[in-house]
């Protein structure tokens, strides 16, 4: 059997936490939308990976990891649009309560919809391929070092994309909405549309995080996506400084 080492797995978990915090920072830190149910997007990404690759899935398919990742991101983006379209006319605490309900709805669906298997969950979720020269797999469940470096690369790519977004018209519109939505609306910013964009992009990063997590652990069930977990994601963003990309990474590592 392969030796089990805690330290790389702790590093990987912290890196996934950081990736989640970056996605949530788009919604809370840049657009100023209080989202308490972000764990729902994380769960959707994880379950998408499970349904498309686990032998326990009723779909009966096993797609490679590089195919699953974009599918999971698109599915979570669509879920973000579905959530945002009827709710983003709300503000403040009202929006927070609705998003909190969304996270609980996802968890309850995992509990009660039989194809999602409840406590039984999904095993043997597909991992990225690749081996070292001696034949040892690069991406292993027992030694998460390969997954950690993969997560670091993904974080760097996401940070570069988020930096470009911040400097674009979309990023400036998010800042205007965060600072004063009424004033932004009066100056011609289509605030509703840009808020939906924030939800969709944040959801995509959450789905990517869930897929990465499910692939490393190799198992997904309904016990991993509760409201307490979502609150910890929010704590990482607040601790690191809302709107500060580097700060939320530090906050995520501290909370993790």
């Amino acid at each position: 059997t392969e030796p089990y080492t805690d330290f790389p797995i702790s590093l990987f978990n912290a890196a996934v936490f950081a990736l989640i915090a970056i996605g949530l920072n788009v919604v809370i830190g840049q657009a100023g939308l209080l989202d308490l149910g972000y764990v729902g997007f994380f769960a959707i990404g994880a379950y998408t990976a499970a349904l498309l690759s686990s032998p326990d899935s009723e779909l009966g398919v096993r797609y490679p990891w590089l195919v699953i990742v974009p599918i999971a991101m698109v599915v979570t983006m669509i879920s973000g649009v579905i959530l945002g379209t009827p709710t983003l006319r709300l503000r403040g605490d009202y929006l927070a309560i609705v998003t909190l309900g969304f996270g609980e709805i996802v968890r309850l669906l995992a509990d009660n919809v039989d194809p999602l298997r409840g406590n039984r969950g999904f095993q043997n979720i597909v991992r990225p391929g690749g081996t070292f020269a001696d034949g040892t797999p690069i991406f292993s469940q027992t030694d998460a070092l390969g997954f950690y470096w993969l997560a670091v690369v993904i974080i760097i790519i996401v940070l570069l994309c988020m930096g470009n977004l911040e400097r674009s018209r979309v990023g400036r519109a998010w800042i205007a909405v965060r600072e004063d939505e009424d004033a932004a609306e009066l100056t011609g910013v289509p605030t509703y549309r840009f808020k939906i964009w924030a939800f969709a992009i944040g959801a995509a990063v959450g789905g990517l995080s869930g897929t990465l997590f499910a692939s490393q652990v190799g198992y997904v069930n309904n016990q991993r996506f509760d409201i307490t977990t979502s609150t910890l994601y929010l704590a990482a963003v607040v601790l690191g400084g809302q709107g500060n990309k580097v700060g939320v990474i530090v906050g995520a590592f501290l909370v993790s």
Side-chain angles (χ1 to χ4, degrees):
T1 59
E2 297 176 76
Y4 184 90
T5 54
D6 284 337
F7 185 62
I9 293 177
S10 298
L11 283 176
F12 169 75
N13 288 334
V16 170
F17 220 106
L19 186 58
I20 294 167
I22 293 169
L24 184 57
N25 186 54
V26 173
V27 181
I28 296 179
Q30 295 185 30
L33 306 171
L34 186 54
D35 185 351
L36 297 182
Y38 194 74
V39 70
F41 298 125
F42 180 71
I44 289 171
Y47 270 102
T48 301
L51 288 168
L52 293 178
S53 67
S54 172
D56 298 322
S57 171
E58 293 184 4
L59 297 180
V61 295
R62 190 168 177 83
Y63 291 115
W65 192 79
L66 287 176
V67 174
I68 291 172
V69 169
I71 294 175
M73 293 179 71
V74 169
V75 169
T76 49
M77 282 188 77
I78 292 171
S79 68
V81 172
I82 292 172
L83 172 64
T85 300
T87 62
L88 283 177
R89 300 189 189 279
L90 301 172
R91 300 185 189 180
D93 296 341
Y94 301 102
L95 178 61
I97 291 169
V98 171
T99 56
L100 184 68
F102 166 74
E104 274 296 280
I105 286 170
V106 172
R107 185 185 66 81
L108 290 171
L109 286 174
D111 282 343
N112 297 293
V113 176
D114 192 58
L116 298 181
R117 295 178 58 84
N119 279 325
R120 295 169 294 167
F122 297 89
Q123 301 183 42
N124 299 319
I125 297 170
V126 73
R127 297 188 179 92
T131 58
F132 293 109
D134 61 358
T136 306
I138 297 173
F139 302 101
S140 165
Q141 183 179 356
T142 53
D143 183 1
L145 197 58
F147 273 105
Y148 167 70
W149 287 114
L150 175 62
V152 169
V153 170
I154 291 174
I155 287 171
I156 292 170
I157 294 171
V158 171
L159 284 175
L160 291 174
C161 293
M162 293 305 173
N164 288 332
L165 266 177
E166 281 184 2
R167 293 185 292 271
S168 71
R169 179 170 176 260
V170 175
R172 292 194 298 271
W174 286 341
I175 293 171
V177 171
R178 181 188 69 196
E179 298 300 326
D180 193 325
E181 186 173 341
D182 291 327
E185 190 80 46
L186 288 171
T187 55
V189 177
T191 56
Y192 179 67
R193 186 177 73 191
F194 282 113
K195 287 195 292 184
I196 290 178
W197 267 110
F199 253 64
I201 293 171
V205 178
L208 173 60
S209 307
T211 304
L212 188 62
F213 174 80
S215 300
Q216 194 281 320
V217 175
Y219 176 74
V220 169
N221 73 352
N222 59 0
Q223 300 299 308
R224 301 173 182 267
F225 311 108
D226 55 17
I227 294 301
T228 302
T229 305
S230 195
T231 305
L232 289 175
Y233 299 158
L234 177 62
V237 174
V238 173
L239 181 63
Q242 298 177 41
N244 186 329
K245 298 189 300 295
V246 177
V248 298
I249 293 175
V250 175
F253 269 76
L254 290 173
V255 173
S256 175

